[in-house]
Amino acid sequence: MKFSLFRKMWLYTLVIAVGLLVASCYTVPQSGRSAFNVIGVGQEINLGLNAFEEIKKKEKTSTNAVAVAMVQRVGERIASIADKDIPKAKWEFVLFENNEPNAFALPGGKVGVHTGILEITKDDNGLAAVLAHEVGHVAARHGAERISEQMALAGLAAGLAIGLSQEDR
């Protein structure tokens, strides 16, 4: 049986994709959920650090000493527990001057909190619920998982584009 160049490329792409999928599947220790991740912890930490530095350059940080201290205190306490799940994380908790009730986490332990959420959380206990949620994203490596999925989709799209361009010849 003779395969056209297109079929060979498609077959190679499929074999590589399946190989990467199998090699990159793991079980998230915190939840037991299966996940796909091709990003190493060191690379993940660097990506989060670089992205967070960019955000800090663009966004205004809060000067409310009491609120900043609360975010630091609660964040550090939760991070100390999460360190067993991701010991190489470089935890940093920053309060941004933003009325939107939101908080976010980036890979490697970078957590941003908007001042607007403090009106909802009210105290250490309420803030702890929000920060524990964000730290959970970091510990489960959700950021690296999303990046891995995007890389896999881009690779599949590139393989398909190459295969289709070969078929036209």
Side-chain angles (χ1 to χ4, degrees), residues 148-158:
S148 296
E149 290 168 356
Q150 293 300 317
M151 288 171 61
L153 287 173
L156 229 74

Side-chain angles (χ1 to χ4, degrees), residues 16-28 33-40 44 140-156:
I16 290 169
V18 169
L20 282 173
L21 182 64
V22 169
S24 302
C25 286
Y26 73 104
T27 301
V28 178
R33 179 181 63 83
S34 293
F36 172 73
N37 189 348
V38 296
I39 306 286
E44 178 183 7
R141 301 185 64 206
H142 288 162
E145 190 177 333
R146 264 188 243 119
I147 293 167
S148 296
E149 290 168 356
Q150 293 300 317
M151 288 171 61
L153 287 173
L156 229 74

Side-chain angles (χ1 to χ4, degrees), residues 84-141:
K84 66 180 175 44
D85 291 323
I86 185 161
K88 294 181 183 176
K90 297 180 184 338
W91 294 104
E92 182 178 3
F93 298 86
V94 175
L95 182 62
F96 292 102
E97 198 63 52
N98 186 322
N99 290 330
E100 183 181 341
N102 196 20
F104 62 91
L106 295 174
K110 304 305 177 186
V111 180
V113 178
H114 290 178
T115 53
I117 205 162
L118 299 180
E119 295 171 23
I120 297 167
T121 62
K122 307 260 187 247
D123 59 17
D124 284 20
N125 295 330
L127 181 60
V130 171
L131 292 183
H133 173 89
E134 298 305 331
V135 168
H137 285 303
V138 175
R141 301 185 64 206

Side-chain angles (χ1 to χ4, degrees), residues 33-88:
R33 179 181 63 83
S34 293
F36 172 73
N37 189 348
V38 296
I39 306 286
V41 174
Q43 185 180 11
E44 178 183 7
I45 290 170
N46 286 336
L47 288 169
L49 174 64
N50 292 337
F52 205 55
E53 290 304 316
E54 287 301 313
I55 292 169
K56 289 191 301 186
K57 287 177 188 172
K58 294 177 185 174
E59 300 294 324
K60 182 180 180 201
T61 57
S62 177
T63 57
N64 179 333
V66 173
V68 169
M70 180 172 66
V71 168
Q72 292 296 315
R73 179 178 62 249
V74 173
E76 288 172 8
R77 197 161 173 210
I78 291 170
S80 71
I81 296 165
D83 275 343
K84 66 180 175 44
D85 291 323
I86 185 161
K88 294 181 183 176

